[in-house]
Amino acid sequence: MTDYTYLTVATAGTLLAFVADLSRHTSGWGFNVLDASALSVWAVAGAQKTLAVGLGWLPAVLLGTITAVGGGAIRDLLLARTPSVFGGTPLYATVAIVVSAVMVVCSRFGAPTVGVLAGITVGVSLRLAASTWGWKLPGSRDWRLGSSKDRDS
């Protein structure tokens, strides 16, 4: 809240969203690349800011994930869609967790710049691969106790 650049960029993005009709352009390859990039950048930024104030690795991973996923959820709500984090889309929050963890590990080894670059690269690659090949985590219906005989009957 001390750097007004964030507010300026957010305001500019909001104005752009009101001027441009984005609802027709949310399923193509370009949108997927932009979405993967934004998810990765926000995960890195959230983790980096958390580490900068002296919090540990777990808060950094959690806040990096929340920062990344929160922006995408707001975008989806403004487009009248179910937020990606609630399922139905290939790996979303999982990518944010991985990116945040990459940033934390690199920072712990004294290479935060490498963490930024590696986190974004890993995040974009993983998100695009998940979108391309439809990788998803198992849903609640895929997890059942009991033997396979019980499930088949």
Side-chain angles (χ1 to χ4, degrees), residues 120-142:
I120 293 170
T121 302
V122 166
V124 170
S125 300
L126 184 57
R127 178 77 175 119
L128 292 177
S131 294
T132 300
W133 292 298
W135 297 343
K136 295 181 183 182
L137 294 178
S140 62
R141 295 180 186 179
D142 298 331

Side-chain angles (χ1 to χ4, degrees), residues 36-59:
S37 300
L39 180 74
S40 301
V41 167
W42 283 111
V44 163
Q48 189 177 42
K49 291 288 186 180
T50 305
L51 293 172
V53 297
L55 295 175
W57 69 269
L58 185 57

